[in-house]
Amino acid sequence: QVQLVESGGGLVQTGGTLSLSCAASVSGDIFRANTMGWYRQAPGKQRELVATITRDGSTRYGDSVKGRFTISRDTAHNTVYLVMRSLKPEDTAVYYCNADLFFERGNFNYWGQGTQVTVSS
C-alpha cells in the first residue's frame, strides 16, 4: 500500500511563512522515489504546478511562486519539503503532494490527500 503523508499547512497572515512536508511510504514492497513535488488547487480553479524536484535535485517552479517558495528533498527518507515565504492571499489553496515511485513492476504516479493553506489578508 502506497501512502503520501502530508503535514504542515494551516492559516497564516500575508507575508508569513509556512512549511509543508510529504513522506512517501510503501508497505511490503521495494521502491525508489523519483520526481516529487507539490501542486495546488484553489476553489474554482484548475490544479497547478507549485514546484517539483528530481532525484538528482533539479527543481522546477510555477511562475507565481518563483523566488518565494523553496522545494527540497531528503532522498534517503523519500520526503519532500516546501518552504513558502512571503505568502499572499492568492496562495490560498489545497496543496497536493505528488510523487513518481519506481517499483520492479514499473513506474507509477501518486497523489497525497491534500493539505489546506490559507493566507489571510
Side-chain angles (χ1 to χ4, degrees):
Q1 182 181 1
V2 176
Q3 283 189 307
L4 298 183
V5 180
E6 300 160 339
S7 61
L11 175 66
V12 67
Q13 290 186 332
T14 296
T17 298
L18 276 177
S19 297
L20 305 179
S21 66
C22 170
S25 66
V26 178
S27 58
D29 208 341
I30 298 172
F31 74 103
R32 183 183 70 206
N34 290 328
T35 298
M36 301 183 74
W38 295 92
Y39 292 75
R40 67 186 183 187
Q41 188 166 19
K45 294 188 176 182
Q46 288 189 327
R47 192 171 295 189
E48 65 174 0
L49 168 71
V50 176
T52 60
I53 184 167
T54 64
R55 190 172 176 83
D56 65 2
S58 298
T59 59
R60 184 165 70 110
Y61 293 92
D63 288 341
S64 61
V65 307
K66 285 179 182 176
R68 299 187 298 122
F69 290 13
T70 302
I71 191 169
S72 61
R73 68 185 289 167
D74 178 350
T75 298
H77 294 94
N78 301 307
T79 302
V80 63
Y81 305 96
L82 184 71
V83 178
M84 304 179 289
R85 299 180 178 86
S86 301
L87 283 160
K88 306 174 182 179
E90 50 264 44
D91 294 316
T92 296
V94 178
Y95 284 67
Y96 295 92
C97 178
N98 181 269
D100 283 328
L101 304 183
F102 177 79
F103 303 84
E104 280 192 7
R105 62 184 181 276
N107 196 67
F108 300 88
N109 186 263
Y110 296 91
W111 291 94
Q113 78 281 4
T115 185
Q116 178 70 45
V117 171
T118 302
V119 184
S120 63
S121 56

